[in-house]
Amino acid sequence: MRIISADSAAALLDEQFNARFLVASASVMVEPPYREPSSVLAEPIFREVDSGFEVIVHEAELCVSLLDKMRADVVHLDMSLRGVSIEDLSPVELANLRTSKVGRQNILKILPRLRKIAGEIKRVHGIDMLAIGKESVPVRIAELTAGSEAILFACKKVVDDGQPVMLGLPMMCQPKVHENRVYLCSLISAEHDVRSFAVDADESLRKVKLTETLNPCARGFRALKIEPTR
Amino acid sequence: MRIISADSAAALLDEQFNARFLVASASVMVEPPYREPSSVLAEPIFREVDSGFEVIVHEAELCVSLLDKMRADVVHLDMSLRGVSIEDLSPVELANLRTSKVGRQNILKILPRLRKIAGEIKRVHGIDMLAIGKESVPVRIAELTAGSEAILFACKKVVDDGQPVMLGLPMMCQPKVHENRVYLCSLISAEHDVRSFAVDADESLRKVKLTETLNPCARGFRALKIEPTR
Amino acid sequence: MRIISADSAAALLDEQFNARFLVASASVMVEPPYREPSSVLAEPIFREVDSGFEVIVHEAELCVSLLDKMRADVVHLDMSLRGVSIEDLSPVELANLRTSKVGRQNILKILPRLRKIAGEIKRVHGIDMLAIGKESVPVRIAELTAGSEAILFACKKVVDDGQPVMLGLPMMCQPKVHENRVYLCSLISAEHDVRSFAVDADESLRKVKLTETLNPCARGFRALKIEPTR
């Protein structure tokens, strides 16, 4: 199966390690054996964390952009609704799925737009867009991809602004810089061979100092202090 | 403690990575330090996945077969009911344990047969059969054992049928072939030294090609594509 | 941030691997990158496991003792109440937090004493004591510290009594002896670089034999058999 997926990841943190601004979104193409992306579209977003579910609409649009370039068998969206097809997800069916009240209300706000995108994907490409979320390996790979791109976007911001930032990374992963690439490797059990990377075309990595730290207030999360090196 | 346990594992998958046929059952003897089995009884079952709880009765019978050959202190069954003794598990007590409605109904169907087996074990061997499930290391070792035996049963089927199969492996483990053994090593945190293996007496491994892949629709699960090498 | 935290850990087990006596409490100072303690206060407690929540009051007092010696920015207590400040935690607010009925009753018993300690910390040092529990890396480091100290306290007891003990270790960690130190390294995903250690000033380690085993009835937990070497 050729699977297209998308996610948003990494957040600028304040001094108390609270997430403030979501940094990047990415869509990915993932093929067997489903360990890394084979194609990537990424964008800086620097959007307030509280804007929440709105970002999923943008992720769906990024999937469409990738789908316009290459063939896929299915689209995996980062919504955990047991893998139902978004096109079939009426407000009535949503009420039957076990979701929290707040979660359901947030989904209802974006559902018309998501269903329109899903209908378009079905009509043009003949494939489904599934709300599979946490169960999907391609969604995890999209998260690691958005995270590695976010590191470069944040480095560029640090170089431009001359101010250090603390970047909160996706859950359970660790960054590794190798030449002009920044890898983000999963640390989740049984994901030891799952990773993604971003290419530093702007050579921002050379102009900053990276220091990894654990997030003391959120077990499983790491952060990267990014400082300018004048 | 000398602990006998049993479990069933690995499933033939369809093209969408859905589990169709459960492949193998195994009972094991596990002794300190509880990392590998010291004795094994395994059987191919190739049973429809939906037959569900029925398979537990067969697992209990496999425990009895192993118990007829060697002494043990307790039997661990793959049912997660807080470690209660099956013999003491009346329908009334079952109602007091927190189980889902569907789960309770499935257990009620097999409970008379399980209690009969538990009574027999108590009478003949003087030991308890516990519904400990997820909390038991020997149950995990039985799962890895059934999984490694399932790989060989599936290889044999591929050699006999001349058709490839996709075999879904137990949760969070990875296969390793070494000489005429196929190991299944746990990838769960703090189980890095827990594993089992099956011996390829029929030399089926030489007649197939194995390709490992992640299951893209079920995080934590891996699958093995097994193809004949003519 | 400089964070002080405390926890209690490790238990003497009976023959069926049931926890009987909690062995040690420790408070720790943890600083960036939050992987190990920079200062430690530890005490043997050998208290009945069922005494439960009482031990948290003692842990808060150990935090105060450490705070009397060095400056910190916040105190993390091993109570999982979403990080609320203990000082602000009235019985009314506690009722609004999602806790089990039994949990709430246990907390209510110790809440007056905890709030008194929190008020004292605020008055004298100007910092908060948070009920952050499971989300806190410093709480995990305090747990590993108490566990490594408990190994030495248990070794000393074995040398004194001439009787072997089985010591149940904290969740998902593994002991390593190096020279006169016993390390306890986390085995939790994404905590591969988190650990603590205790220094064997009494040279008890030389007078015992340590054998590691998995706890067969509690997945993720390991135990240490400690025997005297006459």
Side-chain angles (χ1 to χ4, degrees):
Chain A
M1 275 200 291
R2 292 164 58 85
I3 305 173
I4 282 179
S5 182
D7 201 4
S8 304
L12 297 181
L13 306 179
D14 65 19
E15 302 236 315
Q16 278 70 47
F17 286 88
N18 298 308
R20 293 291 171 164
F21 294 93
L22 203 53
V23 174
S25 294
S27 64
V28 294
M29 163 65 80
V30 184
E31 298 172 78
Y34 311 105
R35 292 191 189 132
E36 295 187 339
S38 58
S39 298
V40 169
L41 274 185
E43 283 184 3
I45 55 174
F46 291 103
R47 196 182 288 217
E48 273 187 47
V49 163
D50 298 331
S51 63
F53 272 66
E54 287 294 319
V55 84
I56 295 179
V57 178
H58 183 58
E59 290 164 19
E61 290 165 348
L62 275 178
C63 288
V64 172
S65 300
L66 201 52
L67 208 43
D68 287 341
K69 296 185 184 177
M70 59 193 67
R71 192 184 56 73
D73 297 309
V74 67
V75 174
H76 282 188
L77 216 54
D78 183 26
M79 289 174 73
S80 295
L81 295 172
R82 299 194 207 169
V84 298
S85 173
I86 298 283
E87 217 193 349
D88 303 340
L89 188 65
S90 64
V92 172
E93 193 177 342
L94 179 61
N96 289 333
L97 293 168
R98 277 190 224 161
T99 54
S100 70
K101 200 178 164 185
V102 175
R104 191 160 51 239
Q105 287 172 341
N106 282 325
I107 294 169
L108 281 173
K109 282 182 207 157
I110 59 171
L111 193 54
R113 280 175 289 163
L114 282 184
R115 289 180 77 184
K116 194 179 163 198
I117 295 170
E120 194 78 0
I121 288 176
K122 187 59 162 276
R123 195 178 56 77
V124 177
H125 303 283
I127 66 173
D128 288 319
M129 184 160 77
L130 308 181
I132 185 171
K134 289 183 199 307
E135 278 306 300
S136 164
V137 172
V139 167
R140 172 64 169 166
I141 291 171
E143 183 184 33
L144 296 172
T145 304
S148 59
E149 297 282 354
I151 293 172
L152 294 184
F153 296 141
C155 288
K156 196 162 186 315
K157 181 177 160 62
V158 167
V159 172
D160 290 349
D161 299 356
Q163 298 290 330
V165 303
M166 183 71 93
L167 182 71
L169 299 174
M171 188 185 65
M172 293 197 184
C173 65
Q174 193 163 33
K176 281 181 198 165
V177 174
H178 182 66
E179 295 176 0
N180 71 334
R181 290 179 169 195
V182 56
Y183 287 85
L184 214 44
C185 304
S186 182
L187 295 174
I188 293 180
S189 299
E191 289 191 358
H192 55 92
D193 46 6
V194 174
R195 65 176 192 180
S196 192
F197 64 88
V199 178
D200 179 28
D202 296 340
E203 301 203 335
S204 300
L205 284 171
R206 291 191 184 181
K207 301 164 193 159
V208 296
K209 182 187 162 204
L210 303 177
T211 311
E212 189 189 323
T213 176
L214 277 75
N215 182 333
C217 305
R219 281 175 69 183
F221 288 87
R222 285 159 192 263
L224 211 46
K225 189 171 183 180
I226 308 176
E227 297 167 289
T229 53
R230 289 118 223 242
Chain B
M1 275 201 292
R2 292 166 56 87
I3 305 173
I4 282 179
S5 182
D7 201 4
S8 304
L12 297 182
L13 306 178
D14 64 19
E15 302 235 315
Q16 277 70 48
F17 286 89
N18 299 307
R20 293 291 170 162
F21 294 92
L22 203 52
V23 174
S25 294
S27 65
V28 294
M29 163 66 81
V30 184
E31 298 172 75
Y34 311 105
R35 292 190 189 133
E36 294 187 340
S38 58
S39 297
V40 170
L41 273 185
E43 282 184 4
I45 54 173
F46 291 103
R47 198 183 286 218
E48 273 189 47
V49 163
D50 297 331
S51 63
F53 273 64
E54 287 294 320
V55 84
I56 295 179
V57 178
H58 183 57
E59 290 164 20
E61 290 166 349
L62 275 177
C63 288
V64 172
S65 300
L66 201 53
L67 208 43
D68 287 341
K69 295 185 183 175
M70 60 193 68
R71 195 184 54 73
D73 297 309
V74 67
V75 174
H76 282 188
L77 215 53
D78 183 26
M79 288 175 72
S80 295
L81 297 171
R82 300 193 207 169
V84 299
S85 174
I86 297 283
E87 217 194 349
D88 302 341
L89 187 65
S90 64
V92 172
E93 192 177 341
L94 179 62
N96 290 334
L97 293 168
R98 276 190 224 162
T99 54
S100 68
K101 200 178 165 185
V102 175
R104 192 160 50 239
Q105 287 172 340
N106 282 325
I107 294 168
L108 280 173
K109 282 182 207 158
I110 59 171
L111 193 54
R113 280 175 289 164
L114 282 183
R115 289 180 76 184
K116 195 180 162 199
I117 295 170
E120 194 77 1
I121 288 175
K122 188 59 161 277
R123 195 179 55 79
V124 178
H125 304 283
I127 66 174
D128 288 320
M129 183 161 77
L130 308 181
I132 184 172
K134 289 183 200 307
E135 278 305 300
S136 165
V137 172
V139 167
R140 172 64 169 167
I141 291 171
E143 183 185 33
L144 296 172
T145 304
S148 58
E149 296 283 353
I151 293 172
L152 294 184
F153 295 141
C155 288
K156 196 162 184 314
K157 182 179 159 60
V158 166
V159 171
D160 290 348
D161 299 355
Q163 298 290 329
V165 302
M166 184 71 94
L167 182 71
L169 299 173
M171 189 185 65
M172 294 197 182
C173 65
Q174 193 163 33
K176 280 180 199 164
V177 173
H178 182 67
E179 294 177 0
N180 70 334
R181 288 178 171 195
V182 56
Y183 287 85
L184 214 45
C185 304
S186 182
L187 296 174
I188 293 179
S189 299
E191 289 192 357
H192 55 91
D193 46 6
V194 174
R195 65 175 191 179
S196 192
F197 65 88
V199 179
D200 179 28
D202 296 341
E203 302 204 332
S204 300
L205 284 171
R206 291 192 184 180
K207 301 166 193 158
V208 297
K209 182 188 163 202
L210 303 178
T211 312
E212 189 188 324
T213 177
L214 277 75
N215 182 334
C217 305
R219 280 174 70 182
F221 288 87
R222 284 158 193 263
L224 211 46
K225 189 170 184 182
I226 308 176
E227 296 167 288
T229 54
R230 289 122 224 241
Chain C
M1 275 200 292
R2 292 166 55 86
I3 305 173
I4 282 178
S5 182
D7 200 5
S8 303
L12 297 182
L13 306 179
D14 65 18
E15 302 235 314
Q16 277 71 46
F17 286 89
N18 299 308
R20 293 293 170 161
F21 295 92
L22 203 52
V23 175
S25 293
S27 64
V28 294
M29 164 65 82
V30 184
E31 299 173 76
Y34 311 106
R35 291 192 191 131
E36 294 187 340
S38 58
S39 297
V40 170
L41 273 185
E43 282 184 3
I45 55 173
F46 292 103
R47 198 183 286 218
E48 273 188 47
V49 164
D50 298 330
S51 63
F53 273 66
E54 288 294 320
V55 83
I56 294 179
V57 178
H58 183 57
E59 290 164 19
E61 290 165 349
L62 275 178
C63 288
V64 171
S65 299
L66 201 53
L67 208 44
D68 287 341
K69 296 185 182 176
M70 59 193 68
R71 192 184 56 73
D73 298 308
V74 66
V75 174
H76 283 188
L77 214 54
D78 183 27
M79 288 174 72
S80 295
L81 296 172
R82 301 194 207 169
V84 299
S85 173
I86 298 282
E87 217 193 350
D88 302 340
L89 187 66
S90 65
V92 173
E93 192 177 340
L94 179 61
N96 290 334
L97 294 168
R98 277 190 224 162
T99 54
S100 68
K101 201 178 164 187
V102 175
R104 190 158 55 238
Q105 287 172 342
N106 282 325
I107 294 169
L108 281 173
K109 282 182 207 158
I110 60 171
L111 193 54
R113 280 175 289 163
L114 282 184
R115 290 180 75 184
K116 195 179 163 201
I117 295 170
E120 193 76 1
I121 288 175
K122 188 60 163 276
R123 196 180 54 77
V124 177
H125 305 283
I127 66 173
D128 288 319
M129 183 161 77
L130 308 181
I132 184 171
K134 289 183 200 305
E135 278 305 301
S136 165
V137 172
V139 167
R140 172 64 170 167
I141 292 171
E143 183 184 34
L144 295 173
T145 304
S148 58
E149 297 283 354
I151 293 173
L152 294 184
F153 295 141
C155 287
K156 197 163 184 316
K157 182 178 160 59
V158 166
V159 171
D160 291 348
D161 299 356
Q163 299 290 330
V165 303
M166 183 72 92
L167 182 71
L169 299 174
M171 188 185 65
M172 292 197 185
C173 66
Q174 193 162 34
K176 281 181 198 165
V177 174
H178 182 68
E179 293 176 0
N180 71 334
R181 289 178 170 195
V182 56
Y183 287 85
L184 215 44
C185 304
S186 182
L187 295 174
I188 293 179
S189 299
E191 289 191 358
H192 55 93
D193 46 5
V194 174
R195 63 175 193 181
S196 192
F197 65 87
V199 179
D200 179 28
D202 296 341
E203 302 204 332
S204 299
L205 284 171
R206 291 191 184 181
K207 301 165 193 159
V208 297
K209 181 189 162 201
L210 302 177
T211 311
E212 189 189 324
T213 177
L214 277 76
N215 182 333
C217 306
R219 281 174 68 183
F221 288 87
R222 284 158 194 264
L224 212 45
K225 189 171 185 182
I226 309 176
E227 296 166 288
T229 53
R230 287 119 223 242

